[in-house]
Amino acid sequence: MKAGIVGLPNVGKSTLFNCLSNAKAQSANFPFCTIEPNIGVVNVPDPRLEKLESLVDPERVIPATVEIVDIAGLVKGASKGEGLGNQFLGNIRETDALLHVLRCFDDDNIVHVDGHVNPIRDKETIDMELQLKDLETVDKKLDKVKRAAKTGNKEAQKEEAVLLALKHGLEAGKSIRAIECSKEDREAFVKPLQFITDKPVMYVCNVSEDAAVSGNEYVTKVKEAVADENAEVIFLAVGTEADITELESYEERQMFLEDMGLDEPGSAKLIRGAYKLLNLETYFTAGVKEVRAWTIPVGASAPQAAGVIHTDFEKGFIRAEVISYADYESYGSEAKVKEAGKMRVEGKEYIVQDGDVMHFRFNV
């Protein structure tokens, strides 16, 4: 599961990528600095994992991770191949969620591809290009479906009606994710087409250091502009946070954050937000050899969660021994949880809850 960082050229995408992944993507003050997409595997900050580590004292700790992709900047006309348009749109199609970076700071020393800072205009530029690409997809599919619908095929007629609704919505400047559609129709006709504007999105407002705690006027405007999109908006001082990651010691980094008035890096909130945006959650295994966070899709069953460790665990699943994270933290050890009768035995139908601490019994 990958989250793609998108936006106009020169808004701070590669700096954000560096900040998140510590992989040093080239970052410079000119458009199209990123051409090939950079991919970073980022640890998901999780205080629960740190707590389990302190309680168990294992030999090693392995956090959950999420893949972040830094994609080339897009310009007007990208849907028609302008700039790096076709490459950009191909790369973005391969991601599962979007982190849309908007420049929300003034600095005469950093050029803006359109001459001056206006995050709403920037957002609309990106939206329009992605919507135009999705409109192409709708039109191609409609040509095929209309022929079948004319023969009296009921399913094709139903699909034609859905596609026409999507076409009208896109032409009115709406993204697919904001166009009303029944759950059944979305599953049957919308999802298979992998529309770019159907991907979940988080808007990342790149602000100056003095706006890192409370945001600024630009952030307020962005929040107002996306109010009906069911999208999250976060803000962080990307350049400053990138500088903090360069500091060698944890203590130095914490001092710097405290001076800014932050209790944790904004990038930590962003990574956790991306993880949720991808509809992912975490369960834990905890033993003296290893405490580990495992990534599963929300709604995964116990056998599916076991299969993340090894396919044999899923094939031969017998039962899961489950401790809620709250109970583990409260009692302080697996032994004490058992003594209190708080360990549960769950079968194949059990839906794993975020934070569960689990053991699997299986037989192959």
Side-chain angles (χ1 to χ4, degrees):
M1 299 289 278
K2 292 187 284 195
I5 300 176
V6 302
L8 290 175
N10 228 30
V11 295
K13 298 187 308 300
S14 294
T15 306
L16 176 62
F17 177 82
N18 292 341
C19 177
L20 295 177
S21 68
N22 290 328
K24 302 304 172 198
Q26 187 187 3
S27 173
N29 184 20
F30 56 89
F32 302 130
C33 183
T34 305
I35 297 175
E36 293 299 327
N38 296 293
I39 299 178
V41 178
V42 182
N43 291 342
V44 179
D46 195 331
R48 298 173 301 181
L49 191 66
E50 294 169 22
K51 182 65 178 177
L52 287 171
E53 180 185 8
S54 71
L55 294 173
V56 179
D57 192 25
E59 291 175 17
R60 62 176 185 167
V61 178
I62 302 177
T65 59
V66 63
E67 267 191 19
I68 304 288
V69 187
D70 176 26
I71 297 169
L74 173 149
V75 293
K76 284 177 187 169
S79 58
K80 304 297 180 192
E82 290 294 323
L84 298 167
N86 291 330
Q87 188 170 338
F88 172 98
L89 293 161
N91 292 332
I92 202 174
R93 202 178 285 282
E94 292 170 14
T95 64
D96 303 287
L98 307 180
L99 306 176
H100 187 161
V101 182
L102 297 167
R103 178 171 166 178
C104 292
F105 66 91
D106 295 301
D107 187 336
D108 293 338
N109 296 316
I110 300 177
V111 297
H112 189 289
V113 71
D114 283 332
H116 66 282
V117 176
N118 183 337
I120 307 306
R121 176 204 57 210
D122 295 354
K123 173 196 172 306
E124 288 170 353
T125 297
I126 297 277
D127 283 351
M128 185 177 70
E129 295 304 327
L130 301 185
Q131 288 160 6
L132 285 170
K133 202 66 186 174
D134 279 349
L135 194 54
E136 272 184 34
T137 304
V138 169
D139 285 338
K140 280 179 189 172
K141 186 67 175 175
L142 258 174
D143 284 344
K144 293 177 184 174
V145 172
K146 277 180 177 176
R147 287 195 290 273
K150 281 178 183 174
T151 67
N153 183 311
K154 297 289 183 196
E155 191 69 4
Q157 288 172 351
K158 194 174 179 185
E159 185 172 8
E160 182 184 18
V162 172
L163 290 170
L164 283 170
L166 297 181
K167 180 178 170 70
H168 295 150
L170 287 165
E171 287 173 342
K174 284 186 176 180
S175 292
I176 297 286
R177 74 181 81 84
I179 298 171
E180 281 190 29
C181 189
S182 73
K183 191 176 178 182
E184 294 78 15
D185 287 346
R186 191 168 283 279
E187 286 294 326
F189 308 125
V190 181
K191 278 194 175 179
L193 294 174
Q194 295 180 300
F195 290 111
I196 297 174
T197 66
D198 197 32
K199 297 178 191 292
V201 63
M202 176 193 293
Y203 294 98
V204 182
C205 297
N206 183 8
V207 300
S208 54
E209 185 178 334
D210 60 2
V213 176
S214 304
N216 58 21
E217 220 175 276
Y218 290 132
V219 176
T220 303
K221 286 178 180 175
V222 171
K223 286 180 176 177
E224 289 169 357
V226 305
D228 62 345
E229 280 192 37
N230 193 26
E232 191 174 347
V233 178
I234 71 165
F235 57 88
L236 65 158
V238 174
T240 306
E241 296 225 5
D243 291 340
I244 292 172
T245 63
E246 298 289 338
L247 298 172
E248 288 186 14
S249 74
Y250 173 80
E251 289 73 20
E252 281 182 296
R253 292 194 291 273
Q254 285 304 115
M255 280 175 60
F256 205 131
L257 285 168
E258 284 169 18
D259 286 346
M260 289 173 66
L262 298 171
D263 55 359
E264 70 170 347
S267 55
K269 292 175 185 171
L270 189 151
I271 295 164
R272 286 197 296 269
Y275 195 68
K276 284 183 181 173
L277 202 63
L278 291 164
N279 205 32
L280 301 175
E281 62 185 12
T282 301
Y283 77 88
F284 302 101
T285 50
V288 291
K289 290 278 185 191
E290 176 184 280
V291 166
R292 182 164 183 162
W294 299 90
T295 299
I296 54 171
V298 172
S301 66
Q304 289 168 333
V308 173
I309 299 176
H310 197 288
T311 52
D312 285 350
F313 282 32
E314 183 171 2
K315 287 176 191 168
F317 180 90
I318 299 170
R319 66 179 183 272
E321 295 168 357
V322 184
I323 303 169
S324 74
Y325 171 77
D327 284 340
Y328 207 114
E329 182 184 32
S330 175
Y331 290 96
S333 73
E334 186 177 314
K336 287 179 180 173
V337 169
K338 284 180 178 175
E339 281 173 27
K342 292 290 187 179
M343 178 183 275
R344 309 189 313 276
V345 175
E346 302 286 1
K348 291 182 178 181
E349 304 303 316
Y350 178 66
I351 302 301
V352 178
Q353 302 301 300
D354 186 50
D356 279 349
V357 183
M358 307 184 77
H359 285 300
F360 297 106
R361 302 296 176 190
F362 71 102
N363 183 31
V364 176

